[in-house]
């Protein structure tokens, strides 16, 4: 709702668990909704495979279509609210985690939403997060309603959230958590406003880059599936080879299923395959229970060779084609809704801050602090109104900034490139040091509004 800046069919927002359905929010010329059973038979939509989850799920699945600019670039799957307790989980009537896994394998980004007041990870939420295993690179975490608590509480809330997530998500890296208040109402606590704005901007950049990376992600999924198919072929052909031709088929089948972890290790050694390419043992054992091993196919080396050739050669040429296409096409970004709210005008991110401060003012922004800088300047014994690089260095290193940064500041401040600084250039150097110490980035080239007045080229008027 926050990203689209408009309501969509089927939407309900409230403090209680509201959404009990999976809603696919997609672009359409007119506003409307399509129920799940009709949706899975539509050849133009990518949901046909969801029919295997049955009516209990399809009655809880719908597509909301609306003519929103944001949805021209991305589609959003709004999942049901997470429930606590055993009773609610059973009453869903379909395998919630399997459905989540199906979507997780096909989306570009998974956003886990947490409330600053409700940090506990319930059994169902824990199971849901575990169903995203293998898709860890897609997960982002949003700590919402952060304006409801003060800075001290927010620090504790963030720590508690990271601790809870660390117990559920097994990754060596720390997950990226975006802190903010993602709704269009006045902030209750404004002391962290700047933090919320910076976090929202980072999240927007992450979402806006998705259309650009879509082709590469699809190629990545193709490689992943090709590797899995290859490993699957090795497992199936091994099981087929081990089966007796006449008697004791059932007993042999049970033995092979129980020996599956050993078979994995044997195949890893024999074909030099990474352990990470093998399907999960427990899940594979469950699937094999219902299979007839005698109907499995033997290994076809030519097909394996074709897959290896594709992975080694064809994919590289495909990758170069994608890069070439991306460089020739204009950068595709998500527009509309909340994404346009911080694009332009004085409320754009970073407007009037750091090196951009004073950009729309007539007076030189450094002038207000120049009297203080002048006092320091005249203690450095200027000769003919200028101080040498050695004198300037003595003062500049007191900022404790590294030489690499001070060197860049010197380059920007020495406007005439004579290796010395006059009073205005020195004041500019001190201003740039202040910008860096305040945590902002230095500009690559000196913006026109920061150029000292005596070093500005006079505007040539036409005669």
């Amino acid at each position: 709702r926050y990203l689209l800046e408009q309501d969509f069919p089927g939407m309900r927002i409230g403090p209680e668990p509201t959404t009990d359905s999976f809603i696919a929010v997609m672009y359409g010329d007119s506003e409307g909704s399509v129920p799940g059973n009709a949706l899975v038979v539509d050849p133009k939509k990518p949901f046909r495979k969801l029919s295997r989850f049955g009516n209990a799920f399809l009655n809880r699945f719908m597509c909301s279509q609306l003519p929103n600019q944001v949805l021209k670039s991305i589609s959003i799957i709004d999942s049901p609210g997470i429930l606590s307790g055993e009773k609610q989980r059973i009453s869903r009537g379909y395998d919630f985690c399997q459905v989540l896994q199906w979507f997780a394998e096909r989306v570009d980004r998974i956003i886990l939403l947490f409330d600053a007041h409700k940090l506990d990870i319930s059994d169902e939420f824990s199971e849901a997060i575990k169903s995203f295993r293998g898709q860890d690179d897609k997960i982002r975490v949003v700590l919402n309603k952060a304006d409801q608590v003060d800075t001290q509480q927010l620090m504790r809330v963030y720590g508690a959230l990271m601790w809870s997530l660390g117990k559920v998500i097994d990754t060596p890296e720390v997950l990226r958590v975006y802190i903010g208040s993602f709704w269009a109402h006045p902030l209750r606590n404004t002391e962290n406003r700047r933090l919320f704005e910076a976090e929202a901007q980072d999240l927007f950049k992450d979402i806006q880059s998705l259309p650009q990376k879509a082709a590469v992600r699809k190629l990545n999924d193709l490689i992943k599936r090709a590797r899995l198919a290859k490993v699957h072929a090795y497992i199936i052909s091994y099981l087929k080879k081990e089966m007796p031709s006449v008697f004791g088929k059932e007993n042999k089948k049970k033995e092979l299923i129980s020996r599956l972890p050993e078979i994995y290790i044997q195949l890893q050694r024999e074909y030099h395959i990474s352990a990470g390419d093998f399907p999960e043992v427990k899940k594979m054992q469950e699937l094999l229970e219902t299979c007839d091993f005698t109907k499995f196919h033997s290994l076809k080396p030519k097909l394996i060779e074709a897959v290896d050739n594709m992975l080694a050669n064809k994919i590289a040429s495909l990758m170069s084609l994608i890069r070439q296409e991306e460089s020739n096409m204009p950068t595709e970004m998500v527009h509309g809704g909340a994404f346009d709210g911080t694009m332009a005008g004085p409320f754009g991110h970073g407007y009037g801050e750091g090196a951009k401060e004073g950009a729309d003012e007539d007076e030189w922004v450094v002038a207000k602090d120049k009297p203080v800088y002048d006092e320091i300047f005249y203690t450095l014994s200027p000769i003919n109104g200028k101080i040498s690089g050695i004198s300037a260095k003595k003062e500049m290193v007191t900022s404790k900034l590294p030489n690499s940064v001070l060197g860049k500041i010197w380059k920007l401040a020495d406007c005439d490139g004579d290796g010395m600084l006059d009073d205005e250039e020195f004041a500019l150097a001190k201003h740039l040091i202040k910008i860096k110490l305040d945590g902002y980035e230095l500009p690559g080239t000196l913006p026109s509004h920061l150029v000292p007045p005596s070093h500005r080229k006079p505007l040539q008027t036409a005669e």
Side-chain angles (χ1 to χ4, degrees):
R1 172 65 183 80
Y2 177 75
L3 294 178
L4 300 178
E5 291 188 340
Q6 76 173 95
D7 292 352
F8 55 86
M11 185 194 86
R12 265 180 69 222
I13 296 171
E16 78 283 5
T18 48
T19 316
D20 65 344
S21 303
F22 280 86
I23 304 175
V25 188
M26 303 177 86
Y27 183 82
D29 294 326
S30 58
E31 196 170 310
S33 62
V34 183
N37 278 294
L39 200 56
V40 293
V41 293
D42 185 348
K44 292 180 183 175
K45 295 279 189 291
F47 303 120
R48 300 188 82 169
K49 293 282 176 74
L50 283 167
S51 57
R52 68 184 170 94
F53 294 107
N55 269 332
F57 164 70
L58 295 176
N59 291 335
R60 292 267 174 263
F61 180 45
M62 64 180 282
C63 175
S64 289
Q65 292 183 311
L66 59 158
N68 187 292
Q69 183 76 18
V70 175
L71 299 173
K72 282 187 173 180
S73 310
I74 54 171
S75 295
I76 303 165
I77 305 293
D78 179 24
S79 63
I82 296 292
L83 302 171
S84 302
E86 193 66 27
K87 190 171 180 286
Q88 288 98 325
R89 188 163 70 214
I90 293 166
S91 66
R92 281 204 194 268
Y94 61 90
D95 195 329
F96 179 60
C97 289
Q98 282 285 310
V99 175
L100 283 179
Q101 195 174 350
W102 189 92
F103 279 115
E105 286 168 2
R106 289 157 179 82
V107 297
D108 293 283
R109 187 66 74 239
I110 300 162
I111 297 176
L112 303 179
L113 279 160
F114 284 89
D115 190 318
H117 291 290
K118 297 191 272 280
L119 286 181
D120 58 315
I121 297 179
S122 66
D123 291 350
E124 189 178 47
F125 203 178
S126 179
E127 289 299 314
I129 293 170
K130 282 174 185 168
S131 68
F132 299 143
R133 196 159 283 155
Q135 314 293 336
D136 305 319
D137 57 319
K138 297 178 183 178
I139 298 175
R140 300 289 182 273
V141 179
V142 170
L143 177 58
N144 199 10
K145 304 182 189 174
D147 67 316
Q148 309 284 311
V149 293
D150 61 34
T151 307
Q152 190 180 15
Q153 289 170 324
L154 182 60
M155 189 178 73
R156 289 182 179 146
V157 163
Y158 180 77
L161 175 61
M162 296 306 284
W163 181 79
S164 300
L165 285 170
K167 293 175 78 177
V168 181
I169 302 175
D170 295 328
T171 54
E173 304 89 10
V174 174
L175 278 173
R176 175 69 164 97
V177 177
Y178 298 92
I179 304 166
S181 182
F182 295 92
W183 68 341
H185 293 265
L187 301 174
R188 189 171 289 182
N189 275 312
T190 56
E191 53 199 56
N192 293 312
R193 184 187 188 116
R194 203 173 132 195
L195 168 72
F196 298 160
E197 284 171 4
E199 291 284 287
Q201 205 62 30
D202 285 354
L203 181 61
F204 284 179
K205 277 181 191 166
D206 188 66
I207 296 170
Q208 282 182 305
S209 67
L210 294 177
Q212 263 180 294
K213 297 172 184 170
V216 176
R217 188 195 62 78
K218 282 171 186 162
L219 189 62
N220 188 51
D221 280 355
L222 173 69
I223 297 164
K224 200 190 284 185
R225 286 173 70 179
R227 287 165 72 106
L228 285 171
K230 195 173 124 182
V231 171
H232 196 75
Y234 286 135
I235 297 166
I236 295 303
S237 62
Y238 181 88
L239 296 173
K240 160 84 172 175
K241 192 174 70 180
E242 292 293 306
M243 285 299 282
S245 51
V246 187
F247 301 111
K249 289 179 183 177
E250 206 53 43
N251 289 336
K252 188 65 180 176
K253 178 182 167 179
K254 284 178 186 172
E255 185 208 320
L256 288 168
I257 290 171
S258 64
R259 275 186 52 231
L260 199 61
E262 296 165 39
I263 293 167
Y264 277 15
I265 294 164
Q266 193 177 327
L267 292 173
Q268 279 173 45
R269 286 179 189 151
E270 194 176 334
Y271 296 105
H272 310 290
I273 308 165
S274 167
D277 286 351
F278 282 83
E280 199 184 328
V281 174
K282 201 174 176 186
K283 193 180 173 186
M284 192 66 172
Q285 284 172 327
E286 284 171 16
L287 292 168
L288 288 171
E289 291 282 354
T290 55
C291 297
D292 183 355
F293 288 14
T294 56
K295 289 182 180 173
F296 287 166
H297 293 282
S298 300
L299 192 70
K300 295 185 175 69
K302 277 193 176 178
L303 289 177
I304 297 288
E305 212 176 290
V307 172
D308 286 337
N309 179 43
M310 180 197 77
L311 292 170
N313 306 315
K314 304 275 174 69
I315 294 291
S317 57
L318 258 177
M319 194 71 197
S320 64
L321 280 171
I322 289 172
R323 286 203 180 116
Q324 200 177 324
E325 198 173 281
E326 279 178 354
S327 62
N328 294 336
M329 285 170 68
T331 307
E332 196 182 344
M333 298 285 271
V334 181
H335 291 288
F339 295 100
D340 288 351
T342 55
M343 288 289 183
F347 296 98
H349 182 60
Y351 188 93
E353 296 174 1
K356 295 173 189 171
E357 188 188 350
D360 49 5
E361 292 173 17
D362 293 330
E363 194 183 348
W364 189 39
V365 71
V366 185
K368 63 180 188 290
D369 295 316
K370 192 169 180 291
V372 180
Y373 300 146
D374 280 351
E375 280 182 31
I376 302 165
F377 179 76
Y378 289 111
T379 64
L380 299 171
S381 311
I383 299 164
N384 300 327
K386 292 194 172 191
I387 57 169
S388 65
I390 294 168
S391 301
K393 182 181 177 182
K394 281 177 188 171
E395 173 55 34
M396 288 170 75
V397 292
T398 60
S399 66
K400 297 182 181 176
L401 286 170
N403 282 357
S404 56
V405 175
L406 293 173
K408 190 175 181 185
I409 289 170
W410 174 270
K411 198 175 174 185
L412 292 169
D414 186 12
C415 299
D416 52 14
D418 64 352
M420 302 179 87
L421 300 181
D422 61 24
D423 61 326
E424 286 186 344
E425 288 174 324
F426 178 75
L428 174 61
K430 291 293 281 182
H431 181 73
L432 292 170
I433 286 170
K434 183 175 175 286
I435 286 171
K436 191 64 188 170
L437 291 175
D438 287 345
Y440 298 102
E441 287 303 312
L442 293 170
T445 54
L446 195 66
S448 56
H449 70 277
L450 285 182
V451 176
S454 63
H455 291 271
R456 290 178 188 175
K457 289 174 184 173
L459 292 169
Q460 293 184 355
T461 51
E463 288 181 12

